[in-house]
Amino acid sequence: MPAVMSLSGERSHPTSRAPRAVRCAPEQVIVVNGSQQALDLCVRLLLDPGDEVALEDPGYMGAHRILAAHGARLVPARIDSDGIRIGELGKKARLVYVTPSHQFPTGVSMSLARRLELLEWARQRGAVLIEDDYDSEYRYSGPPLPAMQGMANGAGVIYIGTFSKVMFPGLRVGYVIVPRQLVKPFTRAKWLADRNTPILDQAALAGFLSEGHLERHIRRMRRIYGRRREVLIETLHRHFGERARVFGDAAGMHLMVRFEDPGVLARASRNNVHLARSGAYYLGEPPAGEYVFVFSRIGERTIREGVKRLAD
Ligand SMILES: Cc1ncc(COP(=O)(O)O)c(C=O)c1O
């Protein structure tokens, strides 16, 4: 799938100049059935049951569950305004799973200083970092920081990308970019798992990329999602004012809201508005009144009406 290989930065490609500054040779890019399969291959190859794995708390359930299913001992590390807290990574973690571009679900973008600190932490311990870069294409303010993989400088970083968010989740195509010494084990494990990601899907996607459609699609969707995001923030502000604190909205397809309004949940159920609590993403105790709003799937009018019904 040559167009995907151009993400390497070692081969430029006319349609892929929005770089994540990933550094690799084409053979280090292994096409998989979405991030979930990439994670599954990582844990099968790199973990033994009982091994410690550090992960973001709150964090992505898809990662929590697959690690737990393989018998990993999960070490939750909280998030501050710079990203994952290094002091909470545990003493013996073999793997660290992070979403540095847009922490899921809090939306924190890991600072450069924290990235460098995390890379150094991993280098000193011989731990492997899994960088899940699931939605960095949709960013609404400020340029994204380059991928950690490109600054690894000797640290073991596995980079996971997916077309789930940038295109649609039913398209089970993603890619994992592994250090050179892991190319053979990963290629073999993928072959053992299911031979290959469907060739027809890959061919259609390769055509889409090489004809420049992906970049156009991203530009268009960024405008649409950006507008929905603005409408959501503006409507929340209008109806709730100080009683709703919005955060994690600089990128992606969701944002977080913390309500200082004990009646909001009752009004949501009375007025038939689905509110998604953030609690499911926490390994520890979740904060009260915190919700995840996915704005990408809902039209502007529905957003306006839904927020109004929450407030009424
Ligand atoms: C943090 C994170 N990683 C990855 C994914 C996508 O996973 P997949 O590529 O398996 O669809 C999601 C989707 O919600 C996600 O939130």
Side-chain angles (χ1 to χ4, degrees):
M1 196 175 170
V4 166
M5 288 173 187
S6 68
L7 287 168
S8 69
E10 290 185 10
R11 269 191 195 179
S12 66
H13 187 287
T15 64
S16 298
R17 269 196 228 108
R20 299 295 301 121
V22 168
R23 282 170 200 249
C24 67
E27 58 275 15
Q28 288 171 262
V29 182
I30 297 156
V31 177
V32 290
N33 306 343
S35 316
Q36 205 59 23
Q37 185 174 45
L39 282 168
D40 185 52
L41 297 179
C42 289
V43 290
R44 281 171 194 267
L45 287 169
L46 303 173
L47 272 192
D48 291 319
D51 282 348
E52 269 188 18
V53 178
L55 15 88
E56 299 165 330
D57 185 27
Y60 178 47
M61 273 190 296
H64 292 179
R65 288 193 180 147
I66 204 152
L67 288 160
H70 280 272
R73 273 198 293 140
L74 307 187
V75 179
R78 284 170 300 167
I79 311 296
D80 63 24
S81 56
D82 285 322
I84 195 164
R85 293 189 187 186
I86 307 292
E88 299 186 7
L89 294 179
K91 297 227 169 358
K92 292 184 286 186
R94 299 264 308 269
L95 278 183
V96 182
Y97 167 83
V98 280
T99 48
S101 307
H102 184 233
Q103 201 277 327
F104 187 87
T106 65
V108 170
S109 176
M110 196 187 293
S111 67
L112 184 59
R114 186 65 57 83
R115 285 167 196 241
L116 295 172
E117 205 184 332
L118 179 58
L119 286 166
E120 186 52 32
W121 183 95
R123 215 174 356 251
Q124 279 177 12
R125 288 163 179 77
V128 173
L129 303 178
I130 299 181
E131 175 175 22
D132 182 355
D133 202 13
Y134 64 107
D135 74 352
S136 56
E137 294 85 358
Y138 295 125
R139 175 156 275 281
Y140 309 107
S141 57
L145 281 169
M148 278 202 318
Q149 192 272 3
M151 356 169 154
N153 200 12
V157 179
I158 295 180
Y159 176 94
I160 298 177
T162 180
F163 288 93
S164 253
K165 294 281 190 183
V166 72
M167 296 285 288
F168 54 96
L171 178 66
R172 301 308 301 156
V173 181
Y175 43 95
V176 52
I177 302 179
V178 300
R180 276 183 197 282
Q181 64 275 25
L182 291 178
V183 169
K184 265 206 178 127
F186 266 83
T187 314
R188 286 187 183 142
K190 168 67 183 165
W191 179 251
L192 268 178
D194 60 4
R195 299 297 187 258
N196 52 257
T197 293
I199 300 295
L200 264 180
D201 294 5
Q202 290 196 56
L205 192 53
F208 193 77
L209 263 72
S210 61
E211 287 161 24
H213 299 301
L214 182 67
E215 289 194 349
R216 271 195 293 280
H217 171 74
I218 292 174
R219 278 201 299 274
R220 180 165 171 265
M221 298 319 288
R222 195 187 285 132
R223 259 199 319 275
I224 295 173
Y225 295 159
R227 183 75 196 120
R228 290 176 183 173
R229 165 187 165 272
E230 272 170 26
V231 167
L232 175 59
I233 296 173
E234 185 262 309
T235 320
L236 280 165
H237 191 68
R238 178 146 36 91
H239 290 287
F240 287 91
E242 300 285 295
R243 289 178 297 134
R245 187 170 75 80
V246 173
F247 58 102
D249 59 307
M253 296 148 104
H254 73 274
L255 52 77
M256 307 273 286
V257 182
R258 213 172 276 175
F259 286 103
E260 295 290 334
D261 178 348
V264 72
L265 201 55
R267 288 199 298 277
S269 86
R270 195 169 61 235
N271 296 335
N272 204 16
V273 180
H274 175 71
L275 260 192
R277 277 185 229 248
S278 67
Y281 304 111
Y282 283 83
L283 288 162
E285 194 56 36
E290 193 182 84
Y291 299 89
V292 178
F293 280 66
V294 179
F295 52 79
S296 57
R297 295 188 212 131
I298 321 172
E300 292 170 31
R301 200 164 132 201
T302 313
I303 293 175
R304 282 201 186 91
E305 288 171 2
V307 175
K308 186 169 179 303
R309 292 213 308 272
L310 267 187
D312 281 346

